[in-house]
């Protein structure tokens, strides 16, 4: 808030919400409304009231009526009036009614963990504030006036064009701006594709094949939309897609299976595309961690194998921040109109200024530079975690670390629940592998921990790793 804006507001006074009855004396009604606002605390001490003329115009009353009401409340000691300072709420005007109310007891707040090693979030302290602010300023200055009108449900063309170029270059995606729809993230994309509730209305219908280990939140969202999920077992090469049955859609995390880790094997990528062609089905590709590979070049998106059989869904939740609420769907042509129809009213659209800023961020090269910088930082963190575990818990096998922002620690059978409980007791927040297991899968359960190494700020990471090692079970 700039100084000039503050000075202007002080000269003009605040906007007031005062409701006067339709009949009766205006002066008495205005005095009562102002008195109630002061006593209730809606007008705190020191608040400057609007000038007579402004408030009279807002309320449709005579200027003298406002002057008389102010004078009456000054006489009561609830307002003060000084030359050059205007009319203000008196410092001694305490909100009597508010103070007299019986305060409600706040619900007990859960104690925040000392060390947050939960998966799913980047290091919030690493958000590129200066570069993002520069993109935001450039985007607002160069945006056409029509950008601040109703707009296009598909999203701003600047962002869709920038994404089409970036995804082709970085992820091997084959598309054009007209097939990209901007959304608020992966969950929003699922809601658009499968509907908002059991009444239906989505573009796709269940049943839907999913990986046997995945986010329960996504399964719940799909169930709420009336889509039954059928679990596919996993091995080191990803989902066993040759076991796909009569489903006509499958949801995969092929770049880095969540949470067990590892890319989908090349032969299985071809197999699932062939399945979609034969079944007239579709592959939903969650481009999870596609930009964060450490041991070799990024694995290209399945979408590049057949753009008419794959819906690619991505977001900036991991690469930049989940607070931005920006994501995208790269759609086969036959789904574009249906998705836009499902998107509906403007309230479900992503913020236009943020879309414009992200477009500039990508086109200027700031996004690439940020991702490279964070890839190096997260790789160092991964290495420190692996080294610490090798030194302090060599019996714990670490998997899924070739990419992404988390590692899976394999535990001795029967120790997962007690280890998660011990971690919570010692202020370490993390997830057990069992929390991600599909309840209907016949795949054998695995004991393990899902440890996110991106969330802690840099200065707290070493202590978080030490605390983790301290709660691991003995061999």
């Amino acid at each position: 808030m700039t100084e000039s804006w503050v000075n202007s507001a002080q000269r003009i006074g605040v906007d007031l919400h005062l409701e006067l009855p339709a009949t009766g004396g205006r002066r008495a009604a205005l005095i009562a409304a102002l008195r109630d606002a002061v006593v209730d605390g809606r007008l705190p001490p020191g608040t400057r009231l609007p000038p007579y003329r402004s408030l009279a115009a807002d309320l449709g009353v005579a200027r003298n009526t406002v002057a008389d009401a102010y004078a009456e409340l000054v006489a009561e000691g609830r307002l003060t009036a000084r030359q050059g300072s205007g009319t203000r709420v008196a410092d001694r005007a305490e909100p009597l009614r508010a103070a007299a109310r019986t305060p409600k007891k706040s619900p007990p707040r859960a104690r925040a963990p000392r060390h947050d090693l939960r998966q799913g979030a980047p290091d919030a302290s690493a958000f590129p504030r200066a570069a993002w602010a520069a993109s935001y300023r450039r985007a607002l200055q160069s945006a056409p006036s029509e950008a601040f009108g109703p707009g296009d449900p598909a999203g701003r063309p600047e962002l869709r064009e920038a994404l089409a170029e970036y995804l082709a270059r970085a992820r091997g995606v084959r598309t054009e701006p007209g097939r990209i729809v901007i959304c608020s993230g992966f969950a929003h994309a699922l809601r658009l594709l499968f509907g908002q509730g059991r009444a239906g209305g989505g573009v796709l219908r269940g049943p839907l094949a999913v990986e046997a280990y995945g986010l329960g939140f996504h399964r719940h969202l799909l169930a709420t939309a009336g889509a039954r999920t059928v679990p596919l077992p996993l091995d080191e090469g990803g989902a066993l897609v040759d076991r796909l049955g009569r489903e006509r859609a499958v949801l995969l995390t092929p770049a880095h299976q969540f949470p067990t880790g590892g890319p989908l094997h090349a032969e299985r990528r071809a197999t699932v595309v062939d399945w979609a062609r034969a079944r007239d089905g579709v592959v939903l590709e969650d481009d999870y961690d596609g930009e964060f590979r450490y041991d070799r070049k990024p694995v290209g998106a399945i979408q590049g194998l057949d753009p008419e059989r794959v819906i690619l869904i991505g977001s900036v939740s991991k690469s930049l921040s989940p607070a931005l609420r920006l994501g995208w769907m790269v759609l086969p042509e036959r789904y574009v109109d249906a998705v836009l129809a499902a998107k509906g009213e403007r309230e479900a659209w992503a913020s236009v200024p943020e879309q414009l800023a992200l477009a500039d961020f990508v086109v200027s090269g700031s996004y690439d530079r940020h991702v490279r910088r964070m890839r190096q930082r997260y790789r160092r963190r991964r290495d420190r975690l692996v080294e610490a575990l090798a030194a302090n818990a060599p019996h714990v096998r670490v998997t899924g670390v070739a990419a992404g922002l988390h590692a899976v620690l394999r535990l001795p059978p029967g120790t997962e629940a007690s280890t998660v409980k011990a971690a919570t007791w010692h202020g370490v927040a993390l997830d057990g592998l069992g929390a991600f297991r599909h309840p209907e899968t016949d795949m054998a359960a695995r004991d393990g921990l899902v440890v996110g190494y991106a969330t802690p700020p840099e200065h707290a990471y070493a202590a978080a790793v030490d605390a983790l090692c301290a709660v691991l079970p003995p061999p």
Side-chain angles (χ1 to χ4, degrees), residues 194-201 224-226:
F194 288 91
Q196 304 289 330
R198 293 189 182 278
T224 301

mmCIF file of all heavy atoms in Angstrom, residues 194-201 224-226:
data_model
loop_
_atom_site.group_PDB
_atom_site.id
_atom_site.type_symbol
_atom_site.label_atom_id
_atom_site.label_comp_id
_atom_site.label_asym_id
_atom_site.label_seq_id
_atom_site.Cartn_x
_atom_site.Cartn_y
_atom_site.Cartn_z
ATOM 1 N N PHE A 194 -14.594 -35.505 -14.960
ATOM 2 C CA PHE A 194 -15.506 -36.521 -14.437
ATOM 3 C C PHE A 194 -16.731 -35.946 -13.740
ATOM 4 O O PHE A 194 -17.588 -36.709 -13.306
ATOM 5 C CB PHE A 194 -14.756 -37.459 -13.478
ATOM 6 C CG PHE A 194 -13.818 -38.385 -14.180
ATOM 7 C CD1 PHE A 194 -12.502 -38.031 -14.392
ATOM 8 C CD2 PHE A 194 -14.261 -39.605 -14.677
ATOM 9 C CE1 PHE A 194 -11.624 -38.877 -15.060
ATOM 10 C CE2 PHE A 194 -13.403 -40.457 -15.341
ATOM 11 C CZ PHE A 194 -12.083 -40.092 -15.541
ATOM 12 N N GLY A 195 -16.826 -34.631 -13.620
ATOM 13 C CA GLY A 195 -18.005 -34.028 -13.014
ATOM 14 C C GLY A 195 -17.769 -33.646 -11.574
ATOM 15 O O GLY A 195 -16.818 -34.072 -10.924
ATOM 16 N N GLN A 196 -18.704 -32.836 -11.060
ATOM 17 C CA GLN A 196 -18.577 -32.279 -9.710
ATOM 18 C C GLN A 196 -19.255 -33.133 -8.656
ATOM 19 O O GLN A 196 -19.062 -32.918 -7.470
ATOM 20 C CB GLN A 196 -19.184 -30.872 -9.669
ATOM 21 C CG GLN A 196 -18.579 -29.925 -10.689
ATOM 22 C CD GLN A 196 -17.160 -29.539 -10.346
ATOM 23 O OE1 GLN A 196 -16.794 -29.484 -9.169
ATOM 24 N NE2 GLN A 196 -16.361 -29.259 -11.352
ATOM 25 N N GLY A 197 -20.085 -34.071 -9.055
ATOM 26 C CA GLY A 197 -20.801 -34.870 -8.065
ATOM 27 C C GLY A 197 -21.433 -36.081 -8.716
ATOM 28 O O GLY A 197 -21.259 -36.345 -9.908
ATOM 29 N N ARG A 198 -22.206 -36.821 -7.934
ATOM 30 C CA ARG A 198 -22.776 -38.064 -8.435
ATOM 31 C C ARG A 198 -23.842 -37.836 -9.505
ATOM 32 O O ARG A 198 -24.252 -38.767 -10.170
ATOM 33 C CB ARG A 198 -23.371 -38.862 -7.267
ATOM 34 C CG ARG A 198 -22.290 -39.341 -6.325
ATOM 35 C CD ARG A 198 -22.840 -40.309 -5.287
ATOM 36 N NE ARG A 198 -21.807 -40.731 -4.364
ATOM 37 C CZ ARG A 198 -20.931 -41.683 -4.609
ATOM 38 N NH1 ARG A 198 -20.974 -42.313 -5.756
ATOM 39 N NH2 ARG A 198 -20.030 -42.011 -3.714
ATOM 40 N N ALA A 199 -24.294 -36.593 -9.651
ATOM 41 C CA ALA A 199 -25.268 -36.301 -10.693
ATOM 42 C C ALA A 199 -24.646 -36.380 -12.085
ATOM 43 O O ALA A 199 -25.334 -36.347 -13.095
ATOM 44 C CB ALA A 199 -25.870 -34.910 -10.483
ATOM 45 N N GLY A 200 -23.338 -36.474 -12.142
ATOM 46 C CA GLY A 200 -22.668 -36.587 -13.431
ATOM 47 C C GLY A 200 -22.348 -35.226 -14.009
ATOM 48 O O GLY A 200 -22.164 -34.256 -13.306
ATOM 49 N N GLY A 201 -22.327 -35.146 -15.335
ATOM 50 C CA GLY A 201 -22.031 -33.877 -15.981
ATOM 51 C C GLY A 201 -20.605 -33.782 -16.471
ATOM 52 O O GLY A 201 -20.229 -32.791 -17.080
ATOM 53 N N THR A 224 -16.539 -39.420 -5.598
ATOM 54 C CA THR A 224 -17.578 -38.409 -5.421
ATOM 55 C C THR A 224 -18.259 -38.098 -6.748
ATOM 56 O O THR A 224 -19.462 -37.811 -6.796
ATOM 57 C CB THR A 224 -16.975 -37.129 -4.828
ATOM 58 O OG1 THR A 224 -16.374 -37.441 -3.561
ATOM 59 C CG2 THR A 224 -18.029 -36.061 -4.623
ATOM 60 N N ALA A 225 -17.498 -38.149 -7.825
ATOM 61 C CA ALA A 225 -18.052 -37.900 -9.154
ATOM 62 C C ALA A 225 -18.767 -39.129 -9.720
ATOM 63 O O ALA A 225 -19.290 -39.078 -10.835
ATOM 64 C CB ALA A 225 -16.947 -37.466 -10.109
ATOM 65 N N GLY A 226 -18.788 -40.227 -8.964
ATOM 66 C CA GLY A 226 -19.467 -41.433 -9.413
ATOM 67 C C GLY A 226 -18.635 -42.344 -10.269
ATOM 68 O O GLY A 226 -19.164 -43.257 -10.915
#
